[in-house]
Amino acid sequence: MITIYTTPSCTSSRKAKAWLREHNIEFVERNMLTHRPTISEIKAMVGKTEDGVDEIISTRSQIFKKLGLDLETLSIQKLFTFISENPCFLRSPIIIDEKRLLAGFSEIEIRRFIPRQARKFYLQQAQLSVN
């Protein structure tokens, strides 16, 4: 099952949810502001990244700029605690399944992210519409 971590004001979150609905892909939504990710959820997210914490942190967020955080000086535990307490520090949306994570919204990337069976179905549909 796909879980999508969102923030209400995020345009990319709305686009990702609309794309998933349009393609009839079931997902569970987690509003990060009302249901903050736990430290264990954040650890699980990082475990599914290729680039570690850098992949899920929004360095363009206002809180990041305001606090002037130096990620290199924080211990990983303090960083996870900070993220859990300040979820607006995370990129949005964050889409995860059992094995993978996609941070942000890109139609090209989300097509690669969806389950293999769904990709095969959409490929077949595209081929039928061409013929």
Side-chain angles (χ1 to χ4, degrees), residues 19 23 106-114 119 122:
W19 192 94
H23 292 86
S106 158
E107 191 165 339
I108 293 170
E109 293 298 320
I110 202 168
R111 285 185 186 280
R112 290 184 194 148
F113 183 83
I114 60 174
R119 285 196 310 260
Y122 296 120

Side-chain angles (χ1 to χ4, degrees), residues 35-118:
H35 296 94
R36 295 179 178 178
T38 65
I39 291 174
S40 62
E41 287 175 313
I42 295 165
K43 287 179 181 179
M45 287 179 193
V46 171
K48 294 176 184 180
T49 66
E50 291 183 17
D51 298 325
V53 175
D54 292 340
E55 194 169 324
I56 63 171
I57 291 177
S58 176
T59 55
R60 295 184 294 163
S61 71
Q62 291 180 3
I63 193 168
F64 185 85
K65 291 176 183 177
K66 181 180 176 182
L67 296 176
L69 292 175
D70 181 4
L71 299 178
E72 301 300 321
T73 61
L74 287 176
S75 72
I76 197 73
Q77 188 61 38
K78 285 183 181 177
L79 180 59
F80 288 163
T81 300
F82 179 80
I83 292 170
S84 180
E85 293 171 356
N86 301 278
C88 56
F89 196 55
L90 291 171
R91 291 184 65 192
S92 183
I94 293 178
I95 306 168
I96 62 171
D97 65 10
E98 295 78 22
K99 297 179 184 177
R100 300 166 296 150
L101 176 142
L102 176 62
F105 174 75
S106 158
E107 191 165 339
I108 293 170
E109 293 298 320
I110 202 168
R111 285 185 186 280
R112 290 184 194 148
F113 183 83
I114 60 174
R116 184 177 302 270
Q117 295 87 352

Side-chain angles (χ1 to χ4, degrees), residues 22-47:
E22 179 183 329
H23 292 86
N24 299 314
I25 297 171
E26 293 183 24
F27 63 92
V28 173
E29 181 179 4
R30 285 280 309 274
N31 178 328
M32 290 189 282
L33 301 183
T34 58
H35 296 94
R36 295 179 178 178
T38 65
I39 291 174
S40 62
E41 287 175 313
I42 295 165
K43 287 179 181 179
M45 287 179 193
V46 171

